[in-house]
Structures are given as structure tokens and as C-alpha cells.
Amino acid sequence: MEDQVQITALKKRGWSIAAISRHVGRDPKTIRSYLNKTAAGIDPSIRAKPPGYESPFERFKPYLMQRFADDPHVMAVSLYEEVGKLGYSQSYPSFTRHLRENELRPKCASCVGVKSRLTTEIVHPPGEEIQFDFLELPSSLLGPKSHILIGTLSFSSRSRGVFASSESRPSFIKAIEGVLYRLGGTARRWRFDNLPAIKGTYGERIAREIFEMAKYYGAEVVLCPPYTPWRKGAVEKFNDYLAQRWWRTAKLTTVSAAQKDLDRFSMEVADMRRRPPARLASAGVTPEIDSRGRFRYPLVKELAELENLKALPDRPYPYVVETKRVVTSAALVSYEGNFYSVEPSVAHRSVTLEHHLSRGSLTITSNEGLILGSHLLQPAGMGLIQRDPKHLAALEEAVLKKAAPTRPHKRKANVPASEASESLAKSLRRDHAMGIDLKRYEELVTGGRR
């Protein structure tokens, strides 16, 4: 704009195009083109398109219209990645501009008029706090709903998630363990909402198991005040980002594949987001200035290097997750998508599974406390069958021994009624006929009158 004002003023003073070009430092053809378009009433910032020009965006409009028909809330950056794989070559700002100009995104009637609460920024020093929250997703990878425990570092916004079988306390403690090891350490405070897994059995605000785990890692437990979920806005915002950016377009079949893809997304996509330079200033670091004299926005992974998290212990938290299961007819019990063997004598009975987090093992005990088997825990959701050689030998012996003397009946055989059945049927027919003999009834009535 400064060059445009200067060119117009110098031309009105009578300067030549060559003199203006030398003074401004631009090509004479650019000066002449600008003055001619201005004199003709044409906006110089709009470039004329050649005859027969077709925008590269037009070829992808039918696909985008169908995607918006499938889901009107899909994020533009997700669509940009999809059309990029299909051959779209323009930049992301051009893509979003085309979306706005063509008005492709429909207006959702259910979401119009929704107003949000007032919010404010809360400054968090590096390494001060991790915010935990469950993200419930309407999928059936782990039952009616899929539960992901999200842990977000308040300063850098680095987040990691772990799939949990439920929101129960054992699953919650195990998921916290996975989040901490994916973050590479722990902050000084753990902030929770009023989750059911946090509350104690006898009405305590925080359960004893949560306190013991926090003491093991040297962290402080902090609860949000009632009805104030925005106090942990960092993890709430990431939950919405994860659900819209990753879950809506992810094609997942198993829990293990979903966890692997979630870890990839967290490192390759979520950690590459940019944060305001003011976060560096709050950590006592001077923000960088680029060649244009503007502050450079740091990446999430760059801010995470300033967190200075506390190192985790060498061994996981010594906690035992107990679960009730029923042994199948194949002498197997299921746990986290895998199967583990027991003695065939306890088939169809109820047993207790003890998952030792510190040892990574699974112990199967009976209701009387007898140990029925012990196995190394396999990766969740793999569908593996782990049999002990002794259990396998006992099962084969029991199956072969039971199958030798007897054979099942044929289900399509012709078996008519036997002679004994037919004789019984004749007697039933005779008794039925005698019971309704009217002549005998008439004789009895006549004899009574006499």
C-alpha cells in the first residue's frame, strides 16, 4: 500500500515512469501496468484469468460436497489432507478460501445459536501441571463406547492418550501409567475433574489408590471445583481437537491398531501445532524473530522441551488390576482382547484375573484363592491365544478321553414311533372314546329314574 500511494503521488507530480521505477525500486512494466489499471478503474490486486481457465478446485467440488453431506462438521484440514492425496496441489489457505467462496459447508440447524461460556487465559509455568480427562467416543472398539484417557501438559499443550476398557478405577490407574510413560515424565501436579474413578468408596473426594499412586510418582493431586470443567481447558480443547481432527476420519478395526494410530497422530500431527510466542516469554525465553521482523510461533514439541518433567521410577506403579471372568469351554479366559489358558477342570467356572502393572504379568486364581495359571501379558487387542504346555496337554487328554466312547446323534435321522409307543397310543385312544360314550350315559340316567 505504501508503494501504491507513493506511485500515485509521484505520477500526479509529473514524474516519468522510469524515474518512479528508480525511486521505488520496481520494474517499469509493473509501474505502467498499475497506472493503466488504476486509470481504467480496475483493481490492480485482482489478476485477470486467461481465457478458458478452470480452477484446480473445481475437479474436487463433487467429492467435497459429498463429504459435507456425510458429515457437516468435518474439519477443513482433514479434507485438505484427503484431497491432497487425490491430487490437489494448491495451498491450504487457497483451499479454505475456495470453501468459503463456494459456500460448500452446510449450516447445521442443531448447532445454530449455541453460545459458549466466558473464558480466560490461565498462565501455567513449565512442568507445573498435567490435566487428565476421559474422552468418550461413540464407537464399539471396547464395548458400547470407547474411552480414551487424555493427559495434557498445560504449558506446552503436548498431549497423549491411552485407550481404556472402561472408566473404572483399575482401568483408570492403568491408563494414567500409559499416559505418563508416553509423555516421558510427570509434572508437579495432576489435575482431575470429578470423575467417578477419582471418588473414594466411602464418599471421599479422592480415592486412596489415587493418592498412593501420586505419592509413588511424587506428584500432587488437584481437583477442579464442582461445575467448573473449564479450569482444565487445555485437555478439554485437545479432546475436541482429537475427536474432530483424528477420530472422525480414522478407519480403525482393532484396539491395538487404534492405539498405534493415536500415538502416530500425537507425535506427527498434534506435536507440530504452533502456539503463541507469549508462552516462551512466560517461561523466561526470548521469542525468535524471523527475517520479516515478526515473532516466530513455536511448535508444541519445541515448548515440550522446556517442560523439565520429573523422571519416572524404574518400575511401574505396583498396582494389581482385578477382573472377574468366566472360563470358556476351550479352557480360556479373555482379557484385553487376548486369551489365556487354565486347567480344563475349571471350564465354565468364574475366576479372578490379577494384572500386575509392575511385572506385566497376568495371574488367574479361583474363588478359593488357588492359582490356576500365570502368563506374560500380551499387547492389548491382538487376539492372541497363549496356552501353557501343561494346560494344553491336559486339555487334549480330556477332549480325547471324553470323545472316544460316545458319539453324538445324527440330527437328520428318521426315527418313527416304536411298537411300545404305538400300544400306549391305542390305550389312550380307547380311554378317550369311553369317556365320551353317550349310550352309557343314557343307561346310567335311565337306571337312576327306576
Side-chain angles (χ1 to χ4, degrees):
M1 290 299 297
E2 294 178 1
D3 289 347
Q4 294 179 13
V5 172
Q6 196 171 17
I7 291 171
T8 304
L10 294 177
K11 182 61 177 176
K12 290 183 178 180
R13 293 180 187 178
W15 286 37
S16 63
I17 293 179
I20 297 174
S21 174
R22 288 191 299 269
H23 183 77
V24 179
R26 293 183 178 271
D27 189 88
K29 294 187 292 295
T30 303
I31 304 296
R32 184 179 292 106
S33 175
Y34 171 75
L35 293 174
N36 291 336
K37 288 183 179 179
T38 304
I42 302 174
D43 188 357
S45 61
I46 300 177
R47 296 185 178 182
K49 297 179 181 179
Y53 172 81
E54 183 181 1
S55 173
F57 184 82
E58 295 296 327
R59 188 164 63 94
F60 302 94
K61 282 182 64 174
Y63 173 78
L64 294 172
M65 294 173 63
Q66 182 59 45
R67 289 292 286 115
F68 280 124
D70 298 338
D71 182 10
H73 301 288
V74 61
M75 297 183 71
V77 64
S78 300
L79 294 178
Y80 178 69
E81 289 185 354
E82 294 180 9
V83 296
K85 297 177 182 178
L86 299 176
Y88 184 78
S89 58
Q90 290 187 319
S91 63
Y92 178 71
S94 299
F95 177 75
T96 55
R97 185 183 71 253
H98 288 307
L99 290 181
R100 292 191 302 270
E101 291 176 352
N102 292 272
E103 298 181 353
L104 295 184
R105 186 183 295 275
K107 294 182 179 180
C108 182
S110 302
C111 300
V112 174
V114 177
K115 298 181 180 180
S116 59
R117 300 183 180 94
L118 295 176
T119 60
T120 184
E121 292 291 334
I122 302 176
V123 179
H124 296 280
E128 177 195 26
E129 185 177 276
I130 299 178
Q131 300 178 4
F132 290 96
D133 192 21
F134 267 115
L135 174 61
E136 294 184 1
L137 299 169
S139 179
S140 56
L141 289 177
L142 281 171
K145 290 185 179 180
S146 293
H147 305 267
I148 304 179
L149 181 67
I150 305 296
T152 301
L153 296 172
S154 303
F155 169 72
S156 63
S157 298
R158 168 172 278 184
S159 302
R160 293 295 183 265
V162 174
F163 277 85
S165 57
S166 65
E167 293 189 8
S168 62
R169 188 172 301 140
S171 300
F172 181 63
I173 292 177
K174 182 182 176 183
I176 290 179
E177 187 90 13
V179 170
L180 293 180
Y181 276 89
R182 282 170 172 80
L183 289 174
T186 178
R188 293 185 291 272
R189 293 194 305 179
W190 295 353
R191 180 175 291 277
F192 300 99
D193 200 353
N194 293 314
L195 298 172
I198 295 294
K199 298 179 181 179
T201 307
Y202 301 101
E204 302 94 338
R205 292 189 63 199
I206 302 177
R208 180 183 58 84
E209 293 88 344
I210 304 299
F211 273 129
E212 294 295 334
M213 186 177 187
K215 287 169 56 179
Y216 183 78
Y217 288 104
E220 178 186 357
V221 179
V222 180
L223 287 182
C224 290
Y227 309 106
T228 57
W230 52 87
R231 290 293 296 271
K232 53 182 183 62
V235 67
E236 295 282 354
K237 187 63 178 178
F238 185 81
N239 285 356
D240 182 68
Y241 171 77
L242 185 68
Q244 302 295 330
R245 183 68 178 82
W246 173 69
W247 183 259
R248 272 187 178 272
T249 57
K251 295 181 180 180
L252 308 172
T253 55
T254 62
V255 180
S256 60
Q259 183 64 63
K260 185 177 180 180
D261 194 63
L262 175 58
D263 295 337
R264 177 203 61 80
F265 175 83
S266 300
M267 293 184 292
E268 298 180 2
V269 180
D271 282 359
M272 303 306 293
R273 296 172 296 161
R274 294 194 177 274
R275 302 288 94 181
R279 297 203 179 188
L280 289 174
S282 64
V285 180
T286 303
E288 298 180 7
I289 300 178
D290 59 12
S291 58
R292 298 183 180 181
R294 298 179 298 186
F295 287 106
R296 176 181 172 272
Y297 278 55
L299 300 177
V300 169
K301 68 174 185 178
E302 296 174 352
L303 293 173
E305 296 176 358
L306 304 174
E307 289 282 1
N308 192 21
L309 299 177
K310 183 179 179 180
L312 300 177
D314 297 333
R315 301 185 65 183
Y317 175 58
Y319 184 74
V320 179
V321 180
E322 293 188 359
T323 310
K324 292 290 186 179
R325 288 290 188 271
V326 176
V327 183
T328 65
S329 57
L332 296 172
V333 291
S334 63
Y335 184 71
E336 293 186 347
N338 297 308
F339 299 89
Y340 302 89
S341 66
V342 293
E343 290 286 343
S345 58
V346 295
H348 307 290
R349 295 183 184 179
S350 176
V351 295
T352 302
L353 308 183
E354 297 180 356
H355 175 197
H356 301 265
L357 295 181
S358 59
R359 297 186 304 216
S361 62
L362 185 69
T363 303
I364 306 173
T365 60
S366 64
N367 294 332
E368 294 78 15
L370 299 177
I371 297 179
L372 304 176
S374 181
H375 304 271
L376 290 177
L377 200 67
Q378 300 299 321
M382 295 294 292
L384 300 176
I385 298 178
Q386 188 170 358
R387 288 188 183 274
D388 189 276
K390 297 180 180 180
H391 297 167
L392 180 60
L395 179 63
E396 291 178 352
E397 182 181 359
V399 171
L400 295 176
K401 182 178 180 181
K402 184 177 180 180
T406 59
R407 297 184 63 183
H409 292 132
K410 295 182 179 180
R411 303 197 53 182
K412 298 181 180 180
N414 178 253
V415 185
S418 62
E419 295 182 358
S421 300
E422 290 292 341
S423 61
L424 292 174
K426 288 181 180 178
S427 63
L428 291 174
R429 294 191 191 98
R430 183 171 58 253
D431 294 341
H432 180 68
M434 291 177 61
I436 58 174
D437 191 357
L438 297 179
K439 292 183 178 179
R440 179 61 178 167
Y441 177 74
E442 185 180 0
E443 293 177 358
L444 292 174
V445 172
T446 306
R449 286 179 179 176
R450 292 175 183 175

Coordinates of all heavy atoms in Angstrom, one line a residue, residues 210-243:
I210 N -5.6 -43.5 44.3 CA -5.1 -42.3 43.6 C -4.0 -41.6 44.3 O -3.0 -41.2 43.8 CB -6.2 -41.4 43.2 CG1 -7.3 -42.1 42.4 CG2 -5.7 -40.2 42.3 CD1 -6.9 -42.8 41.1
F211 N -4.3 -41.4 45.6 CA -3.3 -40.8 46.5 C -2.0 -41.6 46.5 O -0.9 -41.1 46.5 CB -3.8 -40.6 47.9 CG -4.6 -39.3 48.1 CD1 -5.8 -39.3 48.6 CD2 -4.0 -38.1 47.7 CE1 -6.5 -38.1 48.8 CE2 -4.7 -36.9 47.8 CZ -6.0 -36.9 48.4
E212 N -2.1 -42.9 46.7 CA -0.9 -43.8 46.8 C -0.1 -43.7 45.4 O 1.1 -43.7 45.5 CB -1.3 -45.2 47.1 CG -1.9 -45.4 48.4 CD -0.9 -45.1 49.5 OE1 0.3 -45.3 49.3 OE2 -1.4 -44.8 50.7
M213 N -0.8 -43.7 44.3 CA -0.1 -43.6 43.0 C 0.6 -42.3 42.9 O 1.7 -42.2 42.4 CB -1.1 -43.8 41.9 CG -0.5 -43.9 40.5 SD -1.7 -44.3 39.2 CE -0.6 -44.5 37.8
A214 N -0.1 -41.2 43.3 CA 0.5 -39.8 43.2 C 1.8 -39.8 44.1 O 2.8 -39.2 43.7 CB -0.5 -38.8 43.6
K215 N 1.7 -40.4 45.3 CA 2.9 -40.4 46.2 C 4.0 -41.2 45.6 O 5.2 -40.8 45.7 CB 2.5 -41.0 47.5 CG 1.6 -40.1 48.4 CD 1.1 -40.8 49.6 CE 2.1 -41.5 50.4 NZ 1.5 -42.2 51.6
Y216 N 3.7 -42.3 44.8 CA 4.7 -43.1 44.2 C 5.5 -42.3 43.2 O 6.7 -42.4 43.0 CB 4.1 -44.3 43.6 CG 5.1 -45.3 43.0 CD1 5.8 -46.1 43.8 CD2 5.2 -45.3 41.6 CE1 6.7 -47.0 43.2 CE2 6.1 -46.2 41.0 CZ 6.9 -47.1 41.8 OH 7.8 -47.9 41.3
Y217 N 4.8 -41.4 42.4 CA 5.4 -40.6 41.4 C 5.8 -39.2 41.9 O 6.4 -38.4 41.1 CB 4.5 -40.5 40.2 CG 4.3 -41.7 39.4 CD1 3.2 -42.5 39.5 CD2 5.3 -42.2 38.6 CE1 3.0 -43.7 38.8 CE2 5.2 -43.3 37.8 CZ 4.1 -44.1 38.0 OH 3.9 -45.3 37.2
G218 N 5.5 -38.9 43.1 CA 5.9 -37.6 43.7 C 5.2 -36.4 43.1 O 5.7 -35.3 42.9
A219 N 3.8 -36.6 42.9 CA 3.0 -35.6 42.3 C 1.9 -35.2 43.3 O 1.6 -35.9 44.2 CB 2.4 -36.0 41.0
E220 N 1.3 -34.0 43.1 CA 0.2 -33.5 43.9 C -1.1 -33.7 43.1 O -1.1 -33.4 41.9 CB 0.5 -32.1 44.3 CG -0.6 -31.4 45.1 CD -0.4 -29.9 45.3 OE1 0.6 -29.4 44.8 OE2 -1.3 -29.3 45.9
V221 N -2.1 -34.0 43.8 CA -3.4 -34.2 43.2 C -4.3 -33.0 43.5 O -4.4 -32.6 44.6 CB -4.1 -35.5 43.7 CG1 -5.5 -35.7 43.1 CG2 -3.2 -36.7 43.4
V222 N -4.9 -32.5 42.4 CA -5.7 -31.3 42.5 C -7.0 -31.6 41.7 O -7.0 -32.1 40.6 CB -5.0 -30.0 41.9 CG1 -5.9 -28.8 42.0 CG2 -3.7 -29.8 42.6
L223 N -8.1 -31.3 42.4 CA -9.4 -31.4 41.7 C -10.0 -30.1 41.3 O -9.8 -29.1 42.0 CB -10.4 -32.1 42.7 CG -10.3 -33.5 43.0 CD1 -11.4 -34.0 44.0 CD2 -10.3 -34.4 41.8
C224 N -10.7 -30.1 40.2 CA -11.4 -28.9 39.7 C -12.6 -28.6 40.7 O -13.2 -29.6 41.1 CB -11.9 -29.0 38.3 SG -10.6 -29.0 37.1
P225 N -12.9 -27.4 40.9 CA -14.1 -27.1 41.7 C -15.4 -27.7 41.0 O -15.4 -27.9 39.8 CB -14.2 -25.6 41.8 CG -12.8 -25.2 41.6 CD -12.2 -26.1 40.6
P226 N -16.4 -28.0 41.7 CA -17.6 -28.5 41.1 C -18.2 -27.6 40.0 O -18.2 -26.4 40.2 CB -18.6 -28.7 42.3 CG -17.8 -28.8 43.5 CD -16.6 -27.9 43.2
Y227 N -18.6 -28.2 38.9 CA -19.3 -27.5 37.8 C -18.4 -26.4 37.2 O -18.8 -25.4 36.7 CB -20.6 -26.8 38.3 CG -21.5 -27.8 39.0 CD1 -21.7 -27.7 40.4 CD2 -22.2 -28.8 38.3 CE1 -22.5 -28.6 41.0 CE2 -23.0 -29.7 38.9 CZ -23.2 -29.6 40.3 OH -24.0 -30.5 40.9
T228 N -17.1 -26.7 37.2 CA -16.1 -25.7 36.5 C -15.2 -26.5 35.7 O -13.9 -26.6 36.0 CB -15.4 -24.9 37.6 OG1 -14.7 -25.8 38.5 CG2 -16.3 -24.0 38.3
P229 N -15.6 -27.2 34.6 CA -14.7 -28.0 33.8 C -13.7 -27.2 33.0 O -12.7 -27.7 32.6 CB -15.7 -28.8 32.9 CG -16.9 -27.9 32.8 CD -17.0 -27.3 34.2
W230 N -14.0 -25.9 32.8 CA -13.1 -25.0 32.1 C -11.8 -24.7 32.8 O -10.9 -24.1 32.2 CB -13.8 -23.7 31.7 CG -14.4 -23.0 32.8 CD1 -13.8 -22.1 33.7 CD2 -15.8 -23.1 33.3 NE1 -14.7 -21.6 34.6 CE2 -15.9 -22.3 34.4 CE3 -16.9 -23.9 32.9 CZ2 -17.1 -22.1 35.1 CZ3 -18.1 -23.7 33.6 CH2 -18.2 -22.9 34.7
R231 N -11.7 -25.1 34.1 CA -10.5 -25.0 34.8 C -9.4 -25.9 34.2 O -8.2 -25.7 34.5 CB -10.7 -25.3 36.3 CG -11.5 -24.3 37.0 CD -10.8 -22.9 37.1 NE -9.6 -23.0 37.9 CZ -9.5 -22.8 39.2 NH1 -10.6 -22.5 39.9 NH2 -8.4 -22.9 39.8
K232 N -9.8 -26.9 33.5 CA -8.8 -27.7 32.8 C -9.1 -27.6 31.3 O -9.3 -28.6 30.6 CB -8.9 -29.2 33.2 CG -10.3 -29.8 33.2 CD -10.2 -31.2 33.7 CE -11.6 -31.9 33.6 NZ -12.1 -32.0 32.3
G233 N -9.0 -26.4 30.8 CA -9.4 -26.1 29.4 C -8.4 -26.6 28.4 O -8.8 -26.9 27.3
A234 N -7.1 -26.9 28.8 CA -6.1 -27.4 27.9 C -6.5 -28.8 27.4 O -6.5 -29.1 26.2 CB -4.8 -27.4 28.5
V235 N -6.9 -29.7 28.3 CA -7.3 -31.0 27.9 C -8.6 -31.0 27.3 O -8.9 -31.8 26.4 CB -7.2 -32.0 29.2 CG1 -8.3 -31.6 30.2 CG2 -7.3 -33.4 28.7
E236 N -9.5 -30.2 27.7 CA -10.9 -30.1 27.1 C -10.7 -29.7 25.6 O -11.4 -30.2 24.8 CB -11.8 -29.1 27.8 CG -12.1 -29.5 29.3 CD -13.2 -30.5 29.3 OE1 -13.8 -30.9 28.2 OE2 -13.5 -31.0 30.4
K237 N -9.9 -28.7 25.4 CA -9.7 -28.3 24.0 C -9.0 -29.4 23.1 O -9.4 -29.6 22.0 CB -8.8 -27.0 24.0 CG -8.7 -26.4 22.6 CD -10.0 -25.9 22.1 CE -9.9 -25.2 20.8 NZ -11.2 -24.7 20.3
F238 N -8.1 -30.1 23.7 CA -7.5 -31.2 22.9 C -8.4 -32.3 22.7 O -8.4 -33.0 21.7 CB -6.2 -31.7 23.7 CG -5.5 -32.7 22.9 CD1 -4.6 -32.3 21.9 CD2 -5.6 -34.1 23.1 CE1 -3.9 -33.3 21.1 CE2 -5.0 -35.0 22.4 CZ -4.1 -34.6 21.4
N239 N -9.3 -32.6 23.6 CA -10.4 -33.6 23.4 C -11.2 -33.3 22.2 O -11.5 -34.1 21.4 CB -11.2 -33.7 24.6 CG -10.6 -34.4 25.8 OD1 -9.4 -34.9 25.7 ND2 -11.2 -34.5 26.9
D240 N -11.6 -32.0 22.1 CA -12.4 -31.6 20.9 C -11.6 -31.7 19.7 O -12.0 -32.1 18.6 CB -12.9 -30.2 21.1 CG -13.8 -29.7 20.0 OD1 -14.9 -30.3 19.8 OD2 -13.3 -28.8 19.2
Y241 N -10.3 -31.3 19.7 CA -9.4 -31.3 18.6 C -9.2 -32.8 18.1 O -9.2 -33.1 16.9 CB -8.1 -30.7 18.9 CG -7.0 -30.9 17.9 CD1 -7.0 -30.1 16.7 CD2 -6.0 -31.8 18.1 CE1 -6.0 -30.3 15.8 CE2 -5.0 -31.9 17.2 CZ -5.0 -31.2 16.0 OH -4.0 -31.4 15.1
L242 N -9.0 -33.7 19.1 CA -8.7 -35.1 18.8 C -9.9 -35.7 18.1 O -9.8 -36.5 17.2 CB -8.3 -35.8 20.0 CG -7.9 -37.3 19.8 CD1 -6.6 -37.4 19.0 CD2 -7.7 -38.0 21.2
A243 N -11.1 -35.4 18.7 CA -12.3 -36.0 18.2 C -12.6 -35.6 16.8 O -13.1 -36.3 15.9 CB -13.5 -35.7 19.1

